[in-house]
Amino acid sequence: MTFSKYVALGDSFTEGVGDPDPARPNGLRGWADRVAEALADGNPGFGYANLAIRGRKLPAILTEQVPMALELRPDLVTLSGGGNDVLRPSVDMDALAGSLDEAVATLVASGASVVLFTLPDTRSNAAFKVIRGRVALFNEFVREIADSRGTALADPWRMHDFDRRLYLDRDRLHLSPLGHTSMALHVLDAIGVDHGVVLPDPLPLAPLSRREERQEYVEWLRTFLFPWVGRRLTGRSSGDGIEPKRPTLDGIG
């Protein structure tokens, strides 16, 4: 398939956090940029916008980014979100799914092809595996919406065969550059686009001793989890003051 206007919507996952590139807007590359690069190859006039902002919860993504996307009249939209919502114990999962379904219906009615995403399994993260049930429930809603609305689906929940230290950033939440490359491959395959994106064979990492694992975990708590909890307690977001890195449809080159 060939697409001429691609708009990416979401939070840090789609903005590209974990895949730094100082030469790019917001200093990030990410899987969505990689998808756009593949779509732009041999496709003159291709335009790409990325409206995702880190820290955004799904209602804000739907109310802020979806109308902006519709104004751009894309023929391809990727829509991810929900991770920042299911972390909250008080989240209304049914209301969240209902809002997502309405937004997807609007995007599909505009004529755009849409790609949805499940959330990744949290079982390997000791701090967040307590929300695994909520994540699984949200993912079932996403799959149901994808089936009923006829969208494509990328399913990180089922991507278990990876080494966390290779495919995740040091914060254990966001994808690493290798993880973003892998996700781009999954998205391109989901929309049936031929591409030349290749996942490099990573160099194997030496196993950690139990002492090294403990030290790594303590460092993760200090560097990432505690600051995250602090933001939650004070009502701040990692996306405060951040603007969409690609608010208009432009070439990717």
Side-chain angles (χ1 to χ4, degrees), residues 40 57 87-88 100 120 137 157 176 187 213 243 247:
K57 292 193 284 186
L87 287 169
R88 275 74 173 178
L100 178 60
L137 176 59
W157 173 270
S176 68
V187 172
E213 287 180 348
E243 298 293 331

Side-chain angles (χ1 to χ4, degrees), residues 193-215:
V193 170
D194 291 332
H195 58 85
V197 180
V198 177
L199 188 65
D201 292 328
L203 295 175
L205 297 176
L208 298 177
S209 66
R210 295 186 65 179
R211 179 172 179 273
E212 289 171 329
E213 287 180 348
R214 287 194 299 269
Q215 290 177 332

Side-chain angles (χ1 to χ4, degrees), residues 1-3 39 115 152 185-195:
M1 298 181 66
T2 300
F3 298 99
L39 296 176
V115 183
L185 286 168
H186 284 287
V187 172
L188 290 165
D189 289 342
I191 59 178
V193 170
D194 291 332
H195 58 85

Side-chain angles (χ1 to χ4, degrees), residues 127-154:
F128 294 117
K129 64 182 179 181
V130 65
I131 67 168
R132 194 182 186 203
R134 290 204 297 274
V135 172
L137 176 59
F138 178 80
N139 287 345
E140 281 306 301
F141 281 129
V142 171
R143 293 189 184 98
E144 183 177 352
I145 293 168
D147 288 342
S148 64
R149 300 299 178 185
T151 77
L153 178 68

Side-chain angles (χ1 to χ4, degrees), residues 6-15 26 31-32 49-74 76-82 84 103-104 106-107 237 239 242-248:
Y6 166 38
V7 178
L9 312 177
D11 51 26
S12 57
F13 171 72
T14 299
E15 189 187 352
N26 291 12
W31 65 262
N50 189 322
L51 308 180
I53 297 177
R54 69 197 73 173
R56 285 295 190 269
K57 292 193 284 186
L58 188 58
I61 293 170
L62 302 181
T63 58
E64 298 170 6
Q65 297 177 24
V66 170
M68 294 172 64
L70 291 170
E71 290 181 2
L72 297 173
R73 302 181 64 84
L76 175 65
V77 176
T78 55
L79 172 56
S80 66
N84 293 309
V104 172
T106 300
L107 290 168
S237 168
I242 302 294
E243 298 293 331
K245 68 178 189 178
R246 299 181 64 95
T248 58

